[in-house]
Amino acid sequence: MTDRNGDSDPYQSLAESVRRLIDVTIRTEAGAAAVAAAKANVDRAVEELSADLMPGSFGVRPIVDEQPPASGNVLIGVRNPVAPPLVIRRGADGAVFTEVTLGAAYEGPPGHVHGGVCALILDHVLGATAHQPGRPAYTGTLTLRYLRGTPLGPVRVEAHVDRIDGLKTFARGHIADSGGITVTAEGVFIFPKAAKERDDDRTR
Amino acid sequence: MTDRNGDSDPYQSLAESVRRLIDVTIRTEAGAAAVAAAKANVDRAVEELSADLMPGSFGVRPIVDEQPPASGNVLIGVRNPVAPPLVIRRGADGAVFTEVTLGAAYEGPPGHVHGGVCALILDHVLGATAHQPGRPAYTGTLTLRYLRGTPLGPVRVEAHVDRIDGLKTFARGHIADSGGITVTAEGVFIFPKAAKERDDDRTR
């Protein structure tokens, strides 16, 4: 990733290298000596980065040096090596989708995405369609239906708002591979009452 | 982790170092020069480990050099740096539980575990109680109910089989922090028909 000046963001570049490291840590067949040498390099990197750490987690920060505010997020965080990271695209109709390739790091059954990873991604993508600007929505319930296993590799994830009823937004979505839908999801997302009361013109 | 001889498994030790690296990659406030130096060390480690890679993902392998077969699994894999890793404990009654501390890598809302990570963990722990030795169970449906946000930090996850009806095992579970339950889950796990027919004495 590059900023407006075409320079790489050092934190994002680092996270991209750590994503590659996660993959080869799982998949390496290198012998004990090579693995020990690699570990020594990893430990050096940990020491260099630990010289100055923020307390606790990343949270959501004001944009500094163009780092996106949710950079630490487990799914969309460009600084979080656990995140693929997802890039959520929003259509004109409010529906959202994302395309992502899920590799060895997300494995459950051999050669397949862990069913719980499908749940993790669907929770986020359904939330992204329910969550409107200035109208944060929190997951109330989420129901997943597994039609078949999701092979590791490229998938497409889609979600849309089915209906809105007072404080509740009902969203639907699915994960699909080239052969069709593998997992469907329905979620009820709650618009916190305090936020609604602030917005509401009516006196209660 | 150590094997029976008290020697560290090099792959597990490496994964433990990479877990620390993931955390500090998210949390570092080090400047661009230190981050670039750390990235160079990470890239060296990637190169060392990439000299000999298995094709594709880890899968489930026969035990070699005492590496557990699901070492690549995203939740329990000791070789997978994305995995906390969970250690599932099984009670005499078939109920299961695990205790784990979830740090910055699993963040969604600021200071809180991503709701989808709760779903990921509950899918696995409910599956672990439904899955009996020689009787693999696959997730059919999973329903999560979010009572409140789950703060980052230590959590306890429990699950038990509620009832078994033919090919279906109904499991229930929850995640709790020190203040009580934050998310509940119900899952229907399917015992594949082929496996049942092999076991069944009755002619169909």
Side-chain angles (χ1 to χ4, degrees):
Chain A
M1 293 235 179
T2 53
D3 65 19
R4 286 181 212 144
N5 304 317
D7 299 323
S8 243
D9 175 278
Y11 300 101
Q12 291 189 29
S13 298
L14 171 65
E16 285 160 18
S17 286
V18 179
R19 280 186 200 109
R20 284 189 287 272
L21 178 64
I22 291 169
D23 183 70
V24 299
T25 293
I26 298 166
R27 297 172 54 224
T28 191
E29 306 266 32
V35 171
K39 176 178 149 52
N41 277 320
V42 171
D43 289 341
R44 267 189 284 277
V46 170
E47 199 181 321
E48 284 155 348
L49 298 169
S50 299
D52 189 1
L53 286 181
M54 58 187 78
S57 58
F58 191 88
V60 173
R61 313 194 135 213
I63 296 177
V64 177
D65 298 338
E66 308 197 27
Q67 290 188 60
S71 291
N73 186 285
V74 64
L75 276 173
I76 60 168
V78 292
R79 272 185 70 157
N80 187 336
V82 173
L86 292 189
V87 178
I88 310 283
R89 317 262 177 208
R90 199 172 288 270
D93 57 355
V96 299
F97 73 94
T98 186
E99 290 175 331
V100 62
T101 294
L102 300 170
Y106 305 102
E107 189 171 45
H112 288 76
V113 181
H114 193 294
V117 170
C118 297
L120 163 61
I121 293 174
L122 283 162
D123 174 68
H124 194 93
V125 176
L126 266 68
T129 189
H131 181 113
Q132 303 296 329
R135 199 179 197 277
Y138 297 91
T139 314
T141 61
L142 181 70
T143 303
L144 291 314
R145 200 169 299 271
Y146 294 84
L147 308 184
R148 61 182 168 89
T150 304
L152 291 175
V155 296
R156 182 181 165 97
V157 191
E158 298 182 14
H160 66 275
V161 170
D162 194 46
R163 62 194 171 92
I164 296 175
D165 183 1
L167 301 172
K168 292 181 178 174
T169 296
F170 295 78
R172 289 173 180 272
H174 64 254
I175 293 185
D177 69 358
S178 60
I181 294 175
T182 60
V183 187
T184 65
E186 293 178 41
V188 181
F189 295 83
I190 314 289
F191 178 42
K193 210 175 170 195
K196 184 168 165 59
E197 280 167 354
R198 267 202 311 277
D199 286 2
D200 252 339
D201 290 328
R202 287 168 297 162
T203 307
R204 281 166 179 274
Chain B
M1 291 236 181
T2 53
D3 65 19
R4 284 181 212 145
N5 304 318
D7 299 323
S8 244
D9 175 277
Y11 300 101
Q12 290 190 30
S13 298
L14 171 64
E16 285 161 18
S17 286
V18 179
R19 280 185 200 110
R20 283 190 288 273
L21 178 64
I22 291 169
D23 183 69
V24 299
T25 293
I26 299 167
R27 297 173 55 225
T28 190
E29 305 266 32
V35 171
K39 176 178 149 52
N41 277 318
V42 172
D43 290 340
R44 267 190 284 277
V46 170
E47 199 182 321
E48 284 155 347
L49 297 169
S50 299
D52 189 2
L53 286 181
M54 58 186 78
S57 59
F58 191 88
V60 172
R61 311 192 139 216
I63 295 178
V64 178
D65 297 339
E66 307 199 28
Q67 289 188 63
S71 291
N73 186 284
V74 63
L75 275 172
I76 60 170
V78 292
R79 272 186 70 154
N80 187 336
V82 172
L86 293 189
V87 179
I88 309 283
R89 318 259 177 210
R90 201 172 286 270
D93 57 356
V96 299
F97 73 94
T98 184
E99 289 175 333
V100 62
T101 294
L102 299 170
Y106 303 103
E107 189 172 44
H112 288 77
V113 181
H114 193 293
V117 170
C118 296
L120 164 61
I121 293 174
L122 282 162
D123 174 69
H124 194 93
V125 176
L126 266 68
T129 188
H131 181 114
Q132 303 293 332
R135 198 177 197 278
Y138 297 91
T139 315
T141 61
L142 181 70
T143 302
L144 292 312
R145 199 169 297 272
Y146 294 84
L147 308 184
R148 62 182 168 90
T150 305
L152 290 174
V155 296
R156 183 181 165 95
V157 190
E158 298 182 15
H160 66 275
V161 170
D162 193 47
R163 62 196 172 89
I164 296 174
D165 183 1
L167 301 171
K168 293 182 178 174
T169 296
F170 295 79
R172 289 175 179 272
H174 65 253
I175 293 185
D177 69 358
S178 59
I181 293 174
T182 61
V183 186
T184 65
E186 293 178 41
V188 181
F189 295 83
I190 315 289
F191 178 43
K193 209 172 169 195
K196 184 167 165 63
E197 281 168 354
R198 268 203 310 277
D199 286 2
D200 250 341
D201 289 328
R202 288 169 295 162
T203 307
R204 284 169 176 274

